[in-house]
Amino acid sequence: MQIYSSLDKQKKPLISLSEKKVLLYVCGITPYDTTHLGHAFLYIFFDVVKRYFEYLKYYVEYTQNVTDIDDDLLMRAKKDKINWKELGEMWTKKFLNDLIALNILTPTNYIKATDSIPEIIEIVSHLQTHGNAYESDGTVYFDVTKFTPYGDLSSYSKEEMIELSKERGADPGDPKKKNKLDFILWQKSIGDEPSWDSPWGKGRPGWHIECSAMVHKTLGLQIDIHGGGFDLIYPHHESEIAQSESFTGKEPFVGYWMHAGMLRYKGEKMSKSLGNLILVADLLFKHSQNAIRWMLLSHNYRYEWEYFDHMMDDAQIEVNAVLQKLETNLKFDENIKLLEEFEMHMNDDFNTPDVLAMVKNASSDPKNSTTIRKIMKTLGFVIQ
Ligand code: ZN
Protein backbone atom coordinates (compact mmCIF):
# COMPACT_ATOMS: atom_id res chain seq x y z
CA MET A 1 0.00 0.00 0.00
CA GLN A 2 1.26 3.47 -0.89
CA ILE A 3 0.38 6.51 1.21
CA TYR A 4 1.24 10.09 0.36
CA SER A 5 3.11 11.72 3.21
CA SER A 6 3.09 15.52 3.36
CA LEU A 7 6.49 15.52 5.09
CA ASP A 8 8.17 13.36 2.44
CA LYS A 9 6.21 15.08 -0.39
CA GLN A 10 5.67 11.71 -2.04
CA LYS A 11 3.88 8.43 -1.75
CA LYS A 12 5.71 5.78 0.20
CA PRO A 13 4.91 2.18 1.09
CA LEU A 14 3.05 1.61 4.33
CA ILE A 15 5.28 0.21 7.04
CA SER A 16 3.47 0.44 10.35
CA LEU A 17 5.23 0.56 13.73
CA SER A 18 3.64 -2.75 14.74
CA GLU A 19 2.58 -5.46 12.37
CA LYS A 20 -1.12 -5.39 11.45
CA LYS A 21 -1.75 -2.39 13.68
CA VAL A 22 -2.18 1.26 12.76
CA LEU A 23 -1.99 4.15 15.23
CA LEU A 24 -4.07 6.99 13.79
CA TYR A 25 -4.63 10.50 15.15
CA VAL A 26 -6.84 13.09 13.49
CA CYS A 27 -7.21 16.65 14.74
CA GLY A 28 -10.77 17.19 15.85
CA ILE A 29 -13.07 20.16 16.09
CA THR A 30 -13.02 23.29 18.18
CA PRO A 31 -16.59 23.10 19.42
CA TYR A 32 -18.08 26.55 19.07
CA ASP A 33 -20.00 26.33 15.83
CA THR A 34 -21.89 24.01 13.57
CA THR A 35 -20.62 21.07 11.46
CA HIS A 36 -20.08 21.99 7.82
CA LEU A 37 -19.21 20.15 4.63
CA GLY A 38 -15.45 20.65 5.15
CA HIS A 39 -15.71 18.71 8.44
CA ALA A 40 -17.77 15.99 6.75
CA PHE A 41 -15.15 15.67 3.96
CA LEU A 42 -12.31 15.27 6.48
CA TYR A 43 -14.00 12.93 8.94
CA ILE A 44 -15.74 10.76 6.33
CA PHE A 45 -12.40 10.35 4.58
CA PHE A 46 -10.63 9.20 7.77
CA ASP A 47 -13.62 6.99 8.58
CA VAL A 48 -12.95 5.27 5.24
CA VAL A 49 -9.23 5.00 6.08
CA LYS A 50 -10.13 3.25 9.34
CA ARG A 51 -12.69 0.98 7.71
CA TYR A 52 -10.35 0.02 4.88
CA PHE A 53 -7.51 -0.90 7.26
CA GLU A 54 -9.99 -3.06 9.15
CA TYR A 55 -11.00 -4.68 5.87
CA LEU A 56 -7.27 -5.49 5.44
CA LYS A 57 -7.40 -7.06 8.93
CA TYR A 58 -5.42 -4.33 10.67
CA TYR A 59 -6.31 -3.27 14.18
CA VAL A 60 -6.75 0.51 14.10
CA GLU A 61 -6.37 2.57 17.24
CA TYR A 62 -7.89 5.90 16.26
CA THR A 63 -7.80 9.00 18.43
CA GLN A 64 -9.71 12.15 17.63
CA ASN A 65 -9.62 15.10 19.98
CA VAL A 66 -11.84 18.00 20.92
CA THR A 67 -10.07 21.34 21.26
CA ASP A 68 -12.37 22.44 24.05
CA ILE A 69 -10.09 25.21 25.31
CA ASP A 70 -9.00 27.68 22.67
CA ASP A 71 -8.91 31.42 21.90
CA ASP A 72 -11.72 31.21 19.31
CA LEU A 73 -13.97 29.26 21.64
CA LEU A 74 -13.38 31.68 24.51
CA MET A 75 -14.09 34.63 22.25
CA ARG A 76 -17.36 33.10 21.08
CA ALA A 77 -18.41 32.28 24.65
CA LYS A 78 -17.77 35.88 25.66
CA LYS A 79 -19.66 37.24 22.67
CA ASP A 80 -22.67 34.97 23.24
CA LYS A 81 -22.48 35.50 27.03
CA ILE A 82 -22.41 31.78 27.69
CA ASN A 83 -20.09 29.71 29.87
CA TRP A 84 -17.20 28.41 27.73
CA LYS A 85 -17.58 24.87 29.05
CA GLU A 86 -21.30 24.75 28.28
CA LEU A 87 -20.67 26.15 24.81
CA GLY A 88 -18.07 23.46 24.13
CA GLU A 89 -20.23 20.67 25.47
CA MET A 90 -23.24 21.78 23.46
CA TRP A 91 -21.38 21.87 20.13
CA THR A 92 -19.48 18.65 20.86
CA LYS A 93 -22.79 16.88 21.41
CA LYS A 94 -24.19 18.28 18.14
CA PHE A 95 -21.03 17.30 16.27
CA LEU A 96 -21.21 13.72 17.58
CA ASN A 97 -24.84 13.51 16.49
CA ASP A 98 -23.84 14.67 13.01
CA LEU A 99 -21.15 11.97 12.89
CA ILE A 100 -23.75 9.34 13.73
CA ALA A 101 -26.10 10.73 11.08
CA LEU A 102 -23.24 10.44 8.56
CA ASN A 103 -22.52 6.84 9.64
CA ILE A 104 -19.03 7.75 10.83
CA LEU A 105 -17.66 5.19 13.30
CA THR A 106 -16.75 6.50 16.74
CA PRO A 107 -12.96 6.72 17.12
CA THR A 108 -11.33 4.37 19.64
CA ASN A 109 -10.42 7.35 21.82
CA TYR A 110 -12.42 10.55 21.81
CA ILE A 111 -10.56 12.92 24.08
CA LYS A 112 -10.91 16.49 25.33
CA ALA A 113 -7.95 18.84 25.68
CA THR A 114 -9.17 19.84 29.16
CA ASP A 115 -8.86 16.21 30.27
CA SER A 116 -5.16 16.25 29.37
CA ILE A 117 -3.87 19.21 31.41
CA PRO A 118 -1.47 17.17 33.66
CA GLU A 119 0.13 15.58 30.57
CA ILE A 120 0.45 18.99 28.90
CA ILE A 121 2.15 20.48 31.98
CA GLU A 122 4.52 17.50 32.13
CA ILE A 123 5.63 17.98 28.51
CA VAL A 124 6.03 21.76 28.84
CA SER A 125 8.08 21.33 32.05
CA HIS A 126 10.30 18.78 30.31
CA LEU A 127 10.83 21.08 27.33
CA GLN A 128 11.73 23.95 29.63
CA THR A 129 14.16 21.85 31.72
CA HIS A 130 15.91 20.67 28.57
CA GLY A 131 16.28 24.14 27.12
CA ASN A 132 13.74 23.83 24.30
CA ALA A 133 11.34 26.27 25.95
CA TYR A 134 11.54 29.38 28.07
CA GLU A 135 9.20 31.30 30.34
CA SER A 136 8.46 34.96 30.15
CA ASP A 137 5.99 36.51 32.61
CA GLY A 138 3.88 33.37 33.13
CA THR A 139 3.82 32.36 29.47
CA VAL A 140 6.02 29.56 28.13
CA TYR A 141 7.27 29.62 24.54
CA PHE A 142 8.89 26.93 22.41
CA ASP A 143 12.23 28.18 21.09
CA VAL A 144 12.18 27.22 17.39
CA THR A 145 15.93 27.79 17.04
CA LYS A 146 16.42 24.76 19.30
CA PHE A 147 14.77 22.50 16.76
CA THR A 148 15.99 22.06 13.24
CA PRO A 149 14.55 21.83 10.82
CA TYR A 150 11.49 23.85 11.84
CA GLY A 151 9.54 24.36 8.62
CA ASP A 152 10.25 21.00 6.98
CA LEU A 153 6.62 19.88 6.88
CA SER A 154 5.24 23.02 5.29
CA SER A 155 8.40 23.88 3.31
CA TYR A 156 7.57 27.53 3.87
CA SER A 157 10.39 30.03 4.20
CA LYS A 158 10.87 31.86 7.49
CA GLU A 159 9.25 34.98 5.99
CA GLU A 160 6.22 33.00 4.76
CA MET A 161 5.82 31.41 8.18
CA ILE A 162 5.94 34.81 9.87
CA GLU A 163 3.24 36.10 7.50
CA LEU A 164 1.03 33.03 7.98
CA SER A 165 1.43 32.92 11.75
CA LYS A 166 -0.01 36.46 11.84
CA GLU A 167 -3.04 35.34 9.84
CA ARG A 168 -3.53 32.24 11.96
CA GLY A 169 -3.73 33.76 15.41
CA ALA A 170 -0.09 34.04 16.58
CA ASP A 171 1.72 37.29 17.23
CA PRO A 172 5.20 37.35 15.69
CA GLY A 173 5.76 40.79 17.19
CA ASP A 174 5.15 39.68 20.78
CA PRO A 175 8.00 41.41 22.71
CA LYS A 176 8.22 38.55 25.21
CA LYS A 177 9.42 36.18 22.47
CA LYS A 178 13.07 35.51 21.64
CA ASN A 179 12.29 34.67 18.00
CA LYS A 180 9.35 35.72 15.86
CA LEU A 181 8.29 32.11 15.16
CA ASP A 182 8.44 30.88 18.78
CA PHE A 183 5.01 29.56 19.68
CA ILE A 184 3.05 29.41 22.91
CA LEU A 185 3.10 26.19 24.92
CA TRP A 186 1.44 27.59 28.02
CA GLN A 187 -0.17 30.99 28.40
CA LYS A 188 -0.94 33.12 31.37
CA SER A 189 -4.71 33.45 31.87
CA ILE A 190 -5.98 37.00 31.84
CA GLY A 191 -9.00 38.28 33.79
CA ASP A 192 -11.79 35.74 34.05
CA GLU A 193 -10.32 33.36 31.49
CA PRO A 194 -10.35 29.69 32.55
CA SER A 195 -7.12 28.68 34.22
CA TRP A 196 -5.26 25.76 35.76
CA ASP A 197 -2.48 25.78 38.35
CA SER A 198 0.94 25.24 36.84
CA PRO A 199 4.62 25.77 37.68
CA TRP A 200 4.29 29.10 35.82
CA GLY A 201 1.22 30.30 37.71
CA LYS A 202 -2.41 30.20 36.63
CA GLY A 203 -2.74 29.62 32.92
CA ARG A 204 -4.00 27.50 30.05
CA PRO A 205 -2.40 25.44 27.31
CA GLY A 206 -1.48 26.63 23.84
CA TRP A 207 -3.25 24.92 20.96
CA HIS A 208 -0.41 22.89 19.44
CA ILE A 209 0.76 21.29 22.68
CA GLU A 210 -2.74 19.97 23.33
CA CYS A 211 -2.57 17.66 20.32
CA SER A 212 0.97 16.44 21.07
CA ALA A 213 -0.10 15.60 24.63
CA MET A 214 -3.22 13.76 23.47
CA VAL A 215 -1.23 11.78 20.89
CA HIS A 216 1.27 10.66 23.53
CA LYS A 217 -1.39 10.04 26.16
CA THR A 218 -3.58 7.80 24.00
CA LEU A 219 -1.30 6.30 21.33
CA GLY A 220 2.34 6.51 22.44
CA LEU A 221 5.54 8.38 21.63
CA GLN A 222 5.42 7.67 17.90
CA ILE A 223 2.44 7.01 15.66
CA ASP A 224 1.78 5.82 12.13
CA ILE A 225 -0.65 8.36 10.69
CA HIS A 226 -1.54 11.90 11.72
CA GLY A 227 -4.32 13.55 9.77
CA GLY A 228 -6.03 16.88 9.52
CA GLY A 229 -7.05 19.58 7.11
CA PHE A 230 -4.43 21.11 4.80
CA ASP A 231 -4.66 24.41 6.72
CA LEU A 232 -3.29 22.70 9.84
CA ILE A 233 0.12 21.99 8.29
CA TYR A 234 1.46 25.32 9.46
CA PRO A 235 1.74 26.25 12.28
CA HIS A 236 -0.19 23.48 14.04
CA HIS A 237 1.45 20.31 12.74
CA GLU A 238 4.82 21.93 12.17
CA SER A 239 4.83 22.84 15.86
CA GLU A 240 3.59 19.42 16.96
CA ILE A 241 6.63 17.81 15.29
CA ALA A 242 9.05 20.24 16.96
CA GLN A 243 7.68 19.88 20.48
CA SER A 244 6.99 16.11 20.32
CA GLU A 245 10.36 15.11 18.90
CA SER A 246 12.12 17.42 21.37
CA PHE A 247 10.11 15.85 24.20
CA THR A 248 10.40 12.17 23.26
CA GLY A 249 13.86 12.22 21.65
CA LYS A 250 12.39 9.93 19.00
CA GLU A 251 11.88 10.61 15.33
CA PRO A 252 9.88 10.53 13.30
CA PHE A 253 7.01 11.52 15.55
CA VAL A 254 4.66 10.53 12.72
CA GLY A 255 5.23 8.02 9.92
CA TYR A 256 2.71 9.51 7.48
CA TRP A 257 1.26 13.00 7.60
CA MET A 258 -2.03 12.99 5.69
CA HIS A 259 -3.76 16.26 4.84
CA ALA A 260 -7.15 16.72 3.27
CA GLY A 261 -7.69 19.48 0.72
CA MET A 262 -9.81 22.50 1.47
CA LEU A 263 -13.29 23.08 0.07
CA ARG A 264 -14.30 26.11 -1.87
CA TYR A 265 -17.78 27.49 -2.36
CA LYS A 266 -18.89 30.40 -4.51
CA GLY A 267 -15.33 31.06 -5.57
CA GLU A 268 -13.86 31.32 -2.08
CA LYS A 269 -12.53 29.07 0.62
CA MET A 270 -15.44 27.61 2.60
CA SER A 271 -14.94 29.16 6.03
CA LYS A 272 -16.70 30.40 9.10
CA SER A 273 -15.25 33.86 8.73
CA LEU A 274 -16.53 34.28 5.16
CA GLY A 275 -19.89 32.80 6.09
CA ASN A 276 -20.11 30.63 2.94
CA LEU A 277 -20.69 27.38 4.77
CA ILE A 278 -22.70 24.39 3.62
CA LEU A 279 -24.08 22.87 6.79
CA VAL A 280 -24.32 19.12 7.21
CA ALA A 281 -27.70 19.46 8.93
CA ASP A 282 -29.11 21.27 5.87
CA LEU A 283 -27.80 18.61 3.49
CA LEU A 284 -29.23 15.80 5.61
CA PHE A 285 -32.61 17.49 5.44
CA LYS A 286 -32.77 16.93 1.68
CA HIS A 287 -30.34 14.10 0.95
CA SER A 288 -29.42 10.69 2.31
CA GLN A 289 -26.21 10.04 4.26
CA ASN A 290 -25.22 7.74 1.37
CA ALA A 291 -25.53 10.59 -1.13
CA ILE A 292 -23.34 12.88 1.00
CA ARG A 293 -20.72 10.13 1.32
CA TRP A 294 -20.89 9.40 -2.41
CA MET A 295 -20.45 13.06 -3.31
CA LEU A 296 -17.49 13.55 -0.96
CA LEU A 297 -15.70 10.30 -1.85
CA SER A 298 -15.95 11.17 -5.53
CA HIS A 299 -13.22 13.75 -4.79
CA ASN A 300 -9.65 12.78 -4.10
CA TYR A 301 -8.97 13.70 -0.48
CA ARG A 302 -5.69 15.47 -1.18
CA TYR A 303 -6.90 18.20 -3.51
CA GLU A 304 -8.80 21.40 -3.06
CA TRP A 305 -12.15 21.39 -4.86
CA GLU A 306 -15.14 23.63 -5.28
CA TYR A 307 -18.61 22.63 -4.18
CA PHE A 308 -21.54 23.43 -6.47
CA ASP A 309 -25.15 22.97 -5.40
CA HIS A 310 -25.96 20.53 -8.22
CA MET A 311 -23.35 18.08 -6.88
CA MET A 312 -25.62 16.75 -4.15
CA ASP A 313 -28.52 16.17 -6.55
CA ASP A 314 -26.18 14.38 -8.98
CA ALA A 315 -24.73 12.24 -6.18
CA GLN A 316 -28.20 11.32 -4.93
CA ILE A 317 -29.18 10.12 -8.41
CA GLU A 318 -25.94 8.18 -8.87
CA VAL A 319 -25.95 6.43 -5.52
CA ASN A 320 -29.65 5.61 -5.80
CA ALA A 321 -29.07 4.02 -9.20
CA VAL A 322 -26.30 1.81 -7.77
CA LEU A 323 -28.28 0.88 -4.66
CA GLN A 324 -31.31 -0.01 -6.74
CA LYS A 325 -29.26 -2.50 -8.72
CA LEU A 326 -28.14 -4.14 -5.49
CA GLU A 327 -31.71 -4.83 -4.39
CA THR A 328 -31.73 -8.54 -4.97
CA ASN A 329 -32.03 -11.47 -2.62
CA LEU A 330 -29.85 -13.60 -4.84
CA LYS A 331 -26.38 -14.35 -3.56
CA PHE A 332 -23.54 -14.51 -6.02
CA ASP A 333 -19.97 -15.67 -5.66
CA GLU A 334 -17.51 -12.93 -4.89
CA ASN A 335 -15.96 -11.41 -7.96
CA ILE A 336 -12.31 -11.73 -7.02
CA LYS A 337 -11.14 -9.58 -9.92
CA LEU A 338 -13.40 -6.76 -8.82
CA LEU A 339 -12.15 -6.98 -5.24
CA GLU A 340 -8.58 -6.90 -6.51
CA GLU A 341 -9.35 -3.81 -8.52
CA PHE A 342 -10.93 -2.22 -5.45
CA GLU A 343 -7.81 -2.95 -3.40
CA MET A 344 -5.55 -1.67 -6.16
CA HIS A 345 -7.31 1.72 -6.13
CA MET A 346 -7.47 1.93 -2.35
CA ASN A 347 -3.84 0.85 -1.98
CA ASP A 348 -2.92 3.78 -4.18
CA ASP A 349 -3.29 6.39 -1.43
CA PHE A 350 -7.02 5.75 -0.96
CA ASN A 351 -8.14 6.60 -4.46
CA THR A 352 -11.86 6.65 -3.72
CA PRO A 353 -12.95 8.46 -6.94
CA ASP A 354 -11.69 5.53 -9.01
CA VAL A 355 -13.41 3.06 -6.69
CA LEU A 356 -16.76 4.83 -7.15
CA ALA A 357 -16.32 4.88 -10.94
CA MET A 358 -15.58 1.16 -10.80
CA VAL A 359 -18.63 0.48 -8.62
CA LYS A 360 -20.86 2.43 -11.01
CA ASN A 361 -19.69 0.44 -14.01
CA ALA A 362 -19.68 -2.95 -12.35
CA SER A 363 -23.15 -2.52 -10.85
CA SER A 364 -24.74 -2.97 -14.27
CA ASP A 365 -24.01 -6.69 -14.00
CA PRO A 366 -26.32 -8.23 -11.35
CA LYS A 367 -23.76 -10.96 -10.72
CA ASN A 368 -21.49 -8.33 -9.12
CA SER A 369 -24.07 -7.30 -6.53
CA THR A 370 -22.68 -9.38 -3.64
CA THR A 371 -19.16 -8.02 -4.21
CA ILE A 372 -20.33 -4.44 -4.63
CA ARG A 373 -22.29 -4.63 -1.39
CA LYS A 374 -19.09 -5.70 0.34
CA ILE A 375 -17.10 -2.84 -1.21
CA MET A 376 -19.74 -0.24 -0.38
CA LYS A 377 -20.03 -1.44 3.20
CA THR A 378 -16.25 -1.14 3.51
CA LEU A 379 -16.57 2.47 2.36
CA GLY A 380 -19.18 3.09 5.06
CA PHE A 381 -22.33 3.25 2.93
CA VAL A 382 -25.48 2.15 4.73
CA ILE A 383 -26.91 -0.87 2.95
CA GLN A 384 -29.81 -2.87 4.35
ZN1 ZN B 1 -4.43 19.09 16.34
Side-chain angles (χ1 to χ4, degrees):
M1 173 185 246
Q2 298 274 326
I3 298 180
Y4 184 89
S5 164
S6 306
L7 183 61
D8 301 272
K9 322 276 187 274
Q10 62 178 355
K11 289 178 194 170
K12 51 177 199 176
L14 173 74
I15 302 166
S16 52
L17 291 159
S18 317
E19 215 183 318
K20 285 286 165 195
K21 184 175 175 184
V22 169
L23 301 175
L24 167 68
Y25 183 94
V26 180
C27 289
I29 55 155
T30 303
Y32 68 95
D33 217 327
T34 189
T35 316
H36 61 77
L37 199 57
H39 296 126
F41 184 50
L42 179 70
Y43 299 117
I44 283 182
F45 172 71
F46 280 103
D47 183 53
V48 168
V49 168
K50 178 178 192 286
R51 289 172 186 268
Y52 183 63
F53 275 123
E54 286 172 350
Y55 163 89
L56 295 178
K57 306 274 184 285
Y58 278 80
Y59 170 70
V60 182
E61 179 132 15
Y62 176 8
T63 298
Q64 196 188 117
N65 73 293
V66 191
T67 307
D68 63 339
I69 176 80
D70 169 272
D71 286 344
D72 291 332
L73 182 139
L74 293 180
M75 255 163 13
R76 173 61 65 91
K78 210 168 195 172
K79 192 175 143 229
D80 294 355
K81 297 191 175 61
I82 172 171
N83 176 281
W84 64 277
K85 231 181 158 69
E86 273 172 37
L87 179 77
E89 278 165 11
M90 177 183 84
W91 284 112
T92 303
K93 210 186 253 174
K94 287 190 187 206
F95 174 70
L96 291 175
N97 283 336
D98 284 336
L99 294 194
I100 292 167
L102 292 169
N103 199 36
I104 293 174
L105 298 172
T106 312
T108 328
N109 312 299
Y110 197 65
I111 179 169
K112 292 194 277 189
T114 53
D115 286 338
S116 317
I117 302 291
E119 289 81 6
I120 292 169
I121 291 176
E122 187 195 325
I123 298 174
V124 178
S125 300
H126 180 106
L127 291 172
Q128 190 186 11
T129 310
H130 289 78
N132 301 97
Y134 58 93
E135 187 212 341
S136 181
D137 185 28
T139 293
V140 185
Y141 299 90
F142 186 90
D143 183 343
V144 293
T145 62
K146 298 286 162 60
F147 182 81
T148 42
Y150 186 73
D152 239 21
L153 179 67
S154 63
S155 296
Y156 293 137
S157 66
K158 197 177 161 194
E159 290 67 34
E160 284 171 318
M161 286 195 276
I162 290 172
E163 237 358 86
L164 266 173
S165 72
K166 253 189 259 173
E167 281 171 32
R168 295 179 178 171
D171 177 8
D174 179 351
K176 290 190 289 181
K177 283 186 190 179
K178 288 186 185 167
N179 312 288
K180 286 194 163 104
L181 290 177
D182 291 351
F183 54 88
I184 290 176
L185 295 167
W186 184 265
Q187 57 191 323
K188 189 177 178 174
S189 292
I190 298 162
D192 58 355
E193 280 178 0
S195 65
W196 288 264
D197 288 327
S198 82
W200 316 282
K202 286 199 174 291
R204 58 190 176 92
W207 172 34
H208 316 313
I209 195 69
E210 294 176 357
C211 279
S212 280
M214 288 184 276
V215 169
H216 300 316
K217 181 177 179 172
T218 59
L219 300 175
L221 301 182
Q222 290 174 293
I223 61 168
D224 296 303
I225 299 176
H226 192 316
F230 188 82
D231 55 347
L232 295 188
I233 290 179
Y234 181 81
H236 189 50
H237 291 162
E238 198 82 75
S239 304
E240 272 189 53
I241 294 174
Q243 65 207 4
S244 279
E245 290 186 358
S246 302
F247 169 64
T248 65
K250 288 181 190 294
E251 58 173 298
F253 165 45
V254 170
Y256 304 79
W257 282 96
M258 295 178 71
H259 292 103
M262 298 284 103
L263 263 67
R264 298 174 67 79
Y265 184 50
K266 297 190 170 163
E268 300 204 73
K269 189 191 153 193
M270 194 180 282
S271 74
K272 252 174 240 173
S273 49
L274 292 170
N276 59 344
L277 296 180
I278 297 291
L279 305 185
V280 167
D282 291 345
L283 291 184
L284 281 167
F285 196 66
K286 278 207 280 186
H287 301 282
S288 68
Q289 55 190 187
N290 283 336
I292 296 174
R293 197 170 274 257
W294 184 277
M295 194 274 292
L296 294 173
L297 294 181
S298 69
H299 295 88
N300 186 298
Y301 81 92
R302 270 180 51 212
Y303 302 104
E304 183 177 279
W305 55 282
E306 176 145 8
Y307 175 75
F308 295 99
D309 293 322
H310 68 82
M311 285 178 172
M312 272 315 307
D313 295 327
D314 297 349
Q316 187 74 65
I317 292 166
E318 282 185 2
V319 77
N320 284 355
V322 170
L323 293 175
Q324 211 172 12
K325 287 176 192 151
L326 301 181
E327 280 172 13
T328 165
N329 290 324
L330 295 176
K331 261 203 152 251
F332 295 95
D333 288 340
E334 270 183 9
N335 181 337
I336 301 296
K337 268 193 95 162
L338 201 58
L339 278 180
E340 279 173 359
E341 202 185 323
F342 165 60
E343 290 174 23
M344 183 190 79
H345 293 312
M346 291 298 280
N347 289 346
D348 179 16
D349 196 29
F350 306 93
N351 185 348
T352 56
D354 280 6
V355 173
L356 296 195
M358 181 197 85
V359 161
K360 226 165 88 176
N361 276 333
S363 65
S364 53
D365 183 349
K367 287 210 273 309
N368 289 331
S369 57
T370 305
T371 312
I372 291 178
R373 290 174 82 91
K374 183 173 178 173
I375 291 170
M376 291 190 73
K377 279 189 178 172
T378 303
L379 295 178
F381 288 95
V382 179
I383 298 178
Q384 300 311 319

